[in-house]
Amino acid sequence: MEFIDTHTHIYVSEFEQDIDIVIQECLNNNVNHLLLPNINMESISPMLTVCAKYAQICYPMLGLHPCDVNADYKNTLKNMFALFEQYPFIAIGEIGIDLYWDKTFIEEQKDALRWQIDFAIEKDLPIIIHKRQSYYEVMSVLDEFSNCKLRGIFHCYSGSVEHAQALIDKGFLLGIGGTVTYKSAKLDEILPHIDLQHIVLETDSPYLPPVPYRGQRNKSSYIPLIAQRIAEIKQTTIEQVAEITTNNAKQLFKI
């Protein structure tokens, strides 16, 4: 069995003291590839440092998280894009719209998303979409690119079956993480209607740990727990979940 964590922030300060151990735990649990979405300009350096040290397992992405979009977003994105030719970024992410905490920069978030989608199309790369209380706003922006062959992942999927199908129809995979083990997420009602061909695994570590680790630091080595819960919901084996979701990720990211 082989697993891929398609979304982990293993470069953040929560892992500074024991990252070697955390990486080894991943390998011990057959989590052989870690895909690292970026957050802002400040996170690029630590992310690239981790990817250089663990080049056989860690892969960097380039993107501006919607919560870090402000009035100066255009200059930030220009500075980000200038780094592209220097490093082997595998995707543009994580990008999107987040209206949970603050709606001050909603128009800037929308435009930053457009800029980054344009860049992804230019570079022929997948995009990693973060949406929080913003499904219709994100879909409205994506509709502007209906003539383009977009591909990527909707990170931390938690919507309805109908919304899931709309995203699948646009060429996206659904990122399923630790919330699949939370009763409140109700993913056990949604996943029976979604084929494994449209799913990838993720942790969003150090956030959103699966049961029984809620309230603790999340780690990529917990991916098998997520896969096991999906297997139970889908009434299949963890081996089947591992094989299909890993293949989905490898095809999307060309790794």
Side-chain angles (χ1 to χ4, degrees):
M1 267 193 310
E2 180 184 27
F3 299 98
I4 295 178
D5 185 351
T6 63
H7 199 111
T8 173
H9 301 280
I10 198 171
Y11 53 84
V12 297
S13 59
E14 286 87 339
F15 294 103
E16 282 181 352
Q17 302 302 315
D18 64 346
I19 189 168
D20 289 337
I21 295 171
V22 171
I23 290 285
Q24 189 57 53
E25 289 173 345
C26 290
L27 297 174
N28 293 345
N29 285 279
N30 300 313
V31 184
N32 297 329
H33 300 288
L34 308 180
L35 313 187
L36 281 52
N38 187 52
I39 301 169
N40 51 36
M41 285 300 297
E42 290 70 34
S43 62
I44 293 175
S45 179
M47 177 182 66
L48 291 174
T49 298
V50 167
C51 288
K53 183 176 182 181
Y54 307 100
Q56 299 304 310
I57 183 172
C58 292
Y59 303 79
M61 304 181 200
L62 185 67
L64 179 62
H65 192 288
C67 289
D68 286 85
V69 171
N70 56 35
D72 196 39
Y73 72 96
K74 291 183 179 179
N75 283 327
T76 300
L77 289 175
K78 288 175 183 176
N79 291 332
M80 271 192 182
F81 295 163
L83 297 171
F84 184 83
E85 302 303 333
Q86 301 176 43
Y87 302 100
F89 298 108
I90 63 166
I92 303 302
E94 67 188 277
I95 66 179
I97 299 174
D98 190 315
L99 304 179
Y100 182 75
W101 296 110
D102 189 357
K103 298 181 181 179
T104 304
F105 294 109
I106 179 172
E107 293 305 321
E108 288 83 354
Q109 286 191 42
K110 289 178 182 178
D111 203 40
L113 178 56
R114 293 185 188 100
W115 274 47
Q116 293 178 95
I117 291 174
D118 271 329
F119 190 73
I121 292 169
E122 177 187 339
K123 300 300 181 182
D124 190 27
L125 288 175
I127 57 177
I128 310 304
I129 296 285
H130 169 110
K131 71 159 186 67
R132 199 172 186 195
Q133 293 194 351
S134 60
Y135 172 81
Y136 294 104
E137 290 82 359
V138 169
M139 291 298 281
S140 177
V141 172
L142 292 179
D143 285 341
E144 297 173 21
F145 297 87
S146 58
N147 293 327
C148 307
K149 289 188 177 180
L150 297 181
R151 65 189 192 277
I153 297 170
F154 258 70
H155 156 59
C156 195
Y157 187 74
S158 60
S160 66
V161 175
E162 291 74 22
H163 287 178
Q165 190 57 54
L167 297 173
I168 291 166
D169 290 344
K170 285 186 177 295
F172 286 91
L173 298 170
L174 308 179
I176 304 298
T179 55
V180 74
T181 66
Y182 305 173
K183 290 182 179 179
S184 59
K186 298 185 178 179
L187 283 167
D188 56 334
E189 300 173 12
I190 297 164
L191 289 179
H193 305 283
I194 300 171
D195 195 282
L196 285 173
Q197 297 289 347
H198 306 302
I199 291 172
V200 290
L201 307 180
E202 61 177 35
T203 59
D204 200 20
S205 65
Y207 318 109
L208 299 174
V211 173
Y213 298 105
R214 291 194 73 173
Q216 303 178 35
R217 177 184 63 166
N218 197 5
K219 297 189 287 186
S220 294
S221 55
Y222 296 158
I223 280 282
L225 296 175
I226 295 166
Q228 181 59 52
R229 180 59 186 139
I230 293 172
E232 292 168 0
I233 293 171
K234 299 290 290 178
Q235 298 184 330
T236 185
T237 64
I238 188 173
E239 289 83 4
Q240 182 83 340
V241 173
E243 179 181 358
I244 295 176
T245 58
T246 296
N247 186 58
N248 293 344
K250 285 185 173 181
Q251 286 188 345
L252 178 64
F253 294 101
K254 297 180 170 61
I255 58 174

